């Protein structure tokens, strides 16, 4: 049995907690957070603590707080013998000031409202010491079938790539939604296309899945689309994305 | 029984054909195309014809050819009594020179390799005459549960929105793939995130599903990401998408 103290009460913490308490190999000793109200989520299923000087002793401390609070929280654990890890995609392992340190980064977008299946969520792990890596791997594999050994450099690039395929993609959905709304068309009509676009790259590299006026160098359609767009940012985005697609597909200039 | 002549031999034609021949209410009389080799796909299941002066008489002629060939193909049908429709998202209904005309626009991305379930594909229909609209609606409903009455103006906006949520989104997947590859990380690691990002907007408006450094105004992460990007277009895209997200979320400047 591996004992864990979970620090932080945001979405990542909640989803990790809900997954860990189902595991027979993991024991969540305590959930620690400043926000007493947020701790209520855990209180019937674990010990809760809002005083950072009263953190229990455990095998692993998982810091699931906002990026800019990680370094400070890790100093509350300076005297602990266990392994200290954080869950951030972009914060360096060396921001942790503990003798035993590592990373436990689940690559997914977590919302309060939506349950996730941890089995399919990639977990990127890293540890300074081999023995700690082995421990983290064991813990990660109780949750997920996709556990990756990822260096801090690689993790930062994954985090950047994730911004493109998640945050920026979602914003393109928003633009699609706005264009529809301005023309009294329901966003529903775009949903099957959104689903299929995502499903396609399960089996096809995105470069091969590319279609559309930019790929075809269909300048007439491109011009018409640009004239339809009133918002200057959307126009600029259309132009830049079109150019980037054409570059990727080796348009002869 | 509604009789149909299908003109064109590309992906849209093939997918429509495969769906129509399963319908007991539709009879595909003939498939017409210039490309004799492409016609082989249909030959054991329908009549095929490459001579445009020998098009059979039918209730409906569906022109599924590239946008710039639609007007010309429609002139081959000038003496026909049936309803002439095309399947394009961006070509005007008035580009058809026939007395009975309409639109039959399935909103999906079709590839040669991948089967689609037509039941879930939105079909946007339009016709000049009420009686033709009723006929088209009947035909569309044999294929899909999502049939929409859409004007030419609305259709053009849907086509534009589709470029954002499909073509441009796929290009963001490509950028994510490239960033991973440059850092010896498998694209596999991004796939669950891509799926979840698409699934989220099934139940949540994209504006509410937005997360990430742009949304949080996390300028430290934004700066670090920009310094990681070497490709100038990707850098410009990152900057512009970040600005557009911040505008959508009312960043105080």
């Amino acid at each position: 049995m591996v004992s864990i103290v979970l620090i932080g009460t945001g979405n990542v913490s909640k989803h990790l907690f809900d997954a860990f308490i189902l595991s027979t190999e993991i024991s969540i000793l305590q959930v620690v957070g400043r926000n007493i109200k947020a701790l209520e989520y855990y209180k019937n299923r674990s010990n809760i603590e809002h005083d950072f000087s009263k953190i229990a002793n455990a095998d692993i401390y998982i810091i699931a707080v906002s990026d800019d609070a990680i370094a400070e929280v890790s100093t509350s654990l300076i005297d602990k013998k266990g392994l200290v890890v954080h869950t951030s995609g972009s914060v360096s392992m060396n921001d942790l000031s503990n003798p035993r340190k590592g990373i436990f980064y689940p690559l997914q977008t977590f919302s309060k409202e939506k349950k996730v299946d941890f089995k399919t969520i990639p977990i990127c792990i890293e540890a300074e010491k081999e023995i700690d890596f082995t421990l983290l791997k064991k813990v990660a594999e109780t949750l997920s079938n996709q556990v990756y050994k990822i260096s801090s450099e690689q993790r930062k690039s994954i985090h950047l790539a994730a911004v493109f395929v998640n945050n920026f993609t979602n914003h393109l959905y928003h633009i699609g939604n706005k264009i529809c709304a301005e023309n009294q068309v329901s966003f529903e009509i775009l949903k099957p296309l959104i689903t299929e676009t995502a499903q396609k790259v399960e089996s096809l590299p995105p470069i091969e899945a590319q279609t559309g006026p930019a790929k075809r160098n269909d300048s007439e359609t491109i011009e018409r689309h640009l004239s339809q767009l009133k918002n200057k940012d959307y126009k600029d985005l259309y132009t830049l994305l079109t150019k980037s697609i054409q570059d990727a597909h080796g348009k002869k200039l």
Side-chain angles (χ1 to χ4, degrees), chain A:
Chain A
M1 190 75 117
V2 179
S3 62
I4 290 179
V5 166
L6 189 56
I7 303 164
T9 54
N11 287 331
V12 175
S13 158
K14 287 191 176 108
H15 284 282
L16 278 176
F17 181 84
D18 290 342
F20 277 135
I21 53 164
L22 297 176
S23 165
T24 53
E25 296 163 63
I26 306 290
S27 154
I28 303 260
L29 294 186
Q30 191 183 47
V31 180
V32 183
R34 285 210 178 79
N35 185 335
I36 292 176
K37 198 156 187 301
L39 283 171
E40 283 179 17
Y41 182 80
Y42 312 86
K43 73 175 177 194
N44 295 325
R45 297 177 289 167
S46 181
N47 296 312
I48 55 174
E49 182 56 65
H50 74 276
D51 183 345
F52 278 65
S53 71
K54 293 183 181 162
I55 298 179
N57 292 319
D59 297 322
I60 306 183
Y61 304 85
I62 299 181
I63 304 179
V65 301
S66 63
D67 286 2
D68 50 6
I70 290 172
E72 194 200 329
V73 166
S74 86
T75 61
S76 323
L77 300 163
I78 203 76
D79 296 326
K80 296 294 185 188
K81 294 209 175 92
L83 170 62
V84 177
V85 300
H86 72 66
T87 59
S88 162
S90 53
V91 172
S92 170
M93 183 161 70
N94 290 325
D95 280 22
L96 299 171
S97 45
N98 314 82
R100 290 176 61 196
K101 54 191 159 199
I103 307 293
F104 190 92
Y105 170 47
L107 179 60
Q108 190 49 283
T109 168
F110 297 103
S111 0
K112 228 179 298 180
E113 309 78 14
K114 203 167 173 302
K115 286 260 169 253
V116 294
D117 175 12
F118 249 101
K119 279 284 163 230
T120 64
I121 295 180
I123 301 182
C124 306
I125 57 171
E126 181 183 5
E128 211 172 37
K129 299 185 169 76
E130 190 59 33
I131 189 173
D132 291 336
F133 180 82
T134 307
L135 175 63
L136 265 189
K137 186 157 178 276
K138 182 180 159 190
V139 170
E141 284 174 351
T142 66
L143 297 190
S144 168
N145 297 325
Q146 292 196 53
V147 178
Y148 292 84
K149 182 179 184 176
I150 295 289
S151 72
S152 279
E153 269 315 296
Q154 286 176 318
R155 182 167 41 88
K156 284 176 191 175
S157 74
I158 292 169
H159 187 254
L160 173 59
V163 167
F164 277 90
V165 305
N166 168 19
N167 306 151
F168 290 167
T169 288
N170 185 75
H171 187 59
L172 296 187
Y173 298 162
H174 168 66
I175 295 174
N177 188 1
K178 279 204 75 168
I179 294 171
C180 282
E182 282 163 12
N183 292 277
Q184 292 78 48
V185 173
S186 162
F187 182 56
E188 286 301 313
I189 208 169
L190 294 180
K191 288 181 179 177
L193 184 61
I194 286 172
T195 305
E196 177 70 11
T197 304
Q199 277 178 4
K200 252 192 182 179
V201 296
E202 285 285 327
S203 54
L204 218 57
I207 189 103
E208 288 175 33
Q210 191 65 54
T211 57
K215 163 81 187 298
R216 295 194 299 275
N217 293 321
D218 175 352
S219 50
E220 207 176 304
T221 301
I222 293 167
E223 284 310 314
R224 198 175 45 238
H225 281 169
L226 284 170
S227 75
Q228 283 173 255
L229 288 164
K230 303 297 166 233
N231 179 309
K232 183 173 178 308
D233 282 348
Y234 296 175
K235 232 187 238 288
D236 291 347
L237 275 173
Y238 189 104
T239 303
L240 196 51
L241 282 159
T242 294
K243 175 177 178 299
S244 186
I245 291 170
Q246 292 180 333
D247 286 348
H249 291 270
K251 186 195 175 190
K252 307 284 176 295
L253 295 172

